[in-house]
Amino acid sequence: MSTEIAFRSGAPDDASVIAALAIQVFLDTYATDGVRPDLAREAFREYAIDAFAARLREPERRFVLAFRDAGLVGFAEVVVSDQAAPAGELQGAELIRLYVQPAFQAIGLGRRLLSAAESVAAEAGCAALWLTAWTGNHRACAFYDRQGYADIGQTVYHFEGQDYPNRVFGRQLA
């Protein structure tokens, strides 16, 4: 088995592996006290194969995939339309998700995927990249801070009667 990580753009045929990895990382992040019914429904709704297949066909959405051999180990999802962040004064592309399989975290893969996402945004003519991260995901918040992203405010992700406070991070692109 190779230790090399290969990167490529996502295509609709990748929807099933993206969906499986997304559910794995989502539950690893949010279901730290067990899988509640609301989390299960959100995971299966938001990360369904059909949902990713549709997203992969959207012209303003880009996926950067990271593979080791034939296995997906991480991905970044970016919307490259110029849009306002939900806090602060930043306008640019949105990093929707940067998910790395737990076994591949803390080896620099997230940093490489973030760099690729920044390149995708810059190539699309966006001057900045912004994202939201759940405040309970301390590792992610610290990661974006270490990568030079400024904490520019707060927003809330709401589903099934639950509010999840998120920090908004952003960075101007070169």
Side-chain angles (χ1 to χ4, degrees):
M1 191 178 302
S2 170
T3 58
E4 291 293 315
I5 304 292
F7 295 86
R8 70 169 172 80
S9 296
D13 288 348
D14 297 311
S16 63
V17 293
I18 295 170
L21 179 63
I23 288 172
Q24 179 186 27
V25 173
F26 176 83
L27 291 176
D28 186 63
T29 301
Y30 287 92
T32 57
D33 294 326
V35 180
R36 297 186 323 264
D38 62 327
L39 289 174
R41 286 188 298 271
E42 177 72 1
F44 287 125
R45 179 178 45 247
E46 188 68 22
Y47 301 126
I49 294 170
D50 290 344
F52 275 110
R55 289 183 198 120
L56 284 154
R57 287 184 179 91
E58 292 177 17
E60 297 295 316
R61 199 174 294 255
R62 309 283 191 281
F63 284 78
V64 178
L65 308 183
F67 286 88
R68 186 179 78 177
D69 296 324
L72 182 69
V73 296
F75 73 92
E77 178 183 355
V78 182
V79 173
V80 296
S81 62
D82 198 32
Q83 54 190 322
E89 301 293 321
L90 199 60
Q91 185 98 3
E94 179 183 5
L95 177 63
I96 302 291
R97 292 177 188 85
L98 193 156
Y99 281 7
V100 175
Q101 192 174 40
F104 290 85
Q105 293 175 357
I107 63 166
L109 179 55
R111 187 175 61 253
R112 292 174 68 192
L113 280 166
L114 182 58
S115 178
E118 291 171 348
S119 294
V120 163
E123 288 168 8
C126 296
L129 183 65
W130 62 268
L131 62 110
T132 63
W134 175 47
T135 58
N137 189 346
H138 304 291
R139 286 183 64 184
C141 292
F143 167 77
Y144 292 114
D145 182 60
R146 285 191 312 272
Q147 304 312 309
Y149 279 72
D151 183 333
I152 59 174
Q154 182 169 311
T155 190
V156 175
Y157 185 72
H158 180 81
F159 70 89
E160 300 230 1
Q162 298 288 323
D163 287 336
Y164 294 87
N166 279 240
R167 299 307 305 172
V168 182
F169 292 91
R171 178 179 177 169
Q172 294 292 329
L173 301 174

